[in-house]
């Protein structure tokens, strides 16, 4: 129902910046919440930031003040601006969309992931 494609990952030095973009297609009008998660091999996937369809946001403590999530409903994209990157930010970053068609029914959609590597 919803397809997600991430882009913008790469290799940067500590203190640098990257902008990740998630392009959504399909039933995009049904998305309740969009977000970015990250995962390191051997560890659980963790929330980075998320944004509701109406624009409210929340962030993980470890990125608050450095990362900004934004949404462009006209283009069906969700971006993550990452500033002041640290080596510990190195991970695969995934775009997520949550669809709640009716109360009690929930679907999660995920992109393929994009690698972010921060050198010291």
């Amino acid at each position: 129902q919803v397809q997600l494609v991430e882009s913008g990952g790469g290799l940067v030095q500590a203190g640098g910046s990257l902008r990740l973009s998630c392009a959504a297609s399909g039933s995009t009008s049904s998305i309740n919440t969009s977000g970015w998660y990250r995962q390191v091999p051997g560890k659980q996937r963790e929330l980075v930031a998320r944004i509701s369809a109406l624009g409210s946001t929340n962030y993980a403590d470890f990125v608050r003040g450095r990362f900004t999530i934004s949404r462009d409903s006209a283009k069906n994209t969700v971006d993550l601006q990452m500033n002041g990157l640290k080596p510990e930010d190195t991970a695969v970053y995934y775009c997520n969309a949550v669809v709640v068609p009716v109360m009690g029914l929930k679907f999660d959609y995920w992109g393929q992931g994009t690698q972010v590597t921060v050198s010291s």
Side-chain angles (χ1 to χ4, degrees):
Q1 184 173 211
V2 176
Q3 297 79 46
L4 306 172
V5 179
E6 304 99 331
S7 63
L11 174 64
V12 299
Q13 295 182 356
S17 299
L18 282 174
R19 188 176 183 89
L20 306 182
S21 183
C22 174
S25 61
S27 301
T28 57
S29 62
S30 66
I31 298 174
N32 294 83
T33 306
S34 300
W36 285 93
Y37 292 71
R38 69 188 189 187
Q39 188 169 26
V40 176
K43 296 184 178 180
Q44 295 288 332
R45 188 173 299 183
E46 62 183 355
L47 171 71
V48 177
R50 58 187 168 205
I51 185 169
S52 75
L54 296 178
S56 62
T57 61
N58 66 331
Y59 297 88
D61 289 342
F62 54 82
V63 302
R64 192 180 300 274
R66 299 186 296 127
F67 294 5
T68 303
I69 189 170
S70 61
R71 173 183 57 83
D72 188 333
S73 59
K75 297 181 178 180
N76 293 321
T77 59
V78 176
D79 289 359
L80 184 69
Q81 178 65 48
M82 305 186 294
N83 299 323
L85 285 163
K86 306 174 181 179
E88 53 263 43
D89 293 320
T90 296
V92 177
Y93 285 70
Y94 295 90
C95 183
N96 165 257
V98 177
V99 174
V100 183
V102 296
M103 185 65 183
L105 186 62
K106 180 181 178 181
F107 298 99
D108 275 282
Y109 298 90
W110 297 92
Q112 81 288 345
T114 185
Q115 177 71 46
V116 172
T117 303
V118 184
S119 62
S120 60

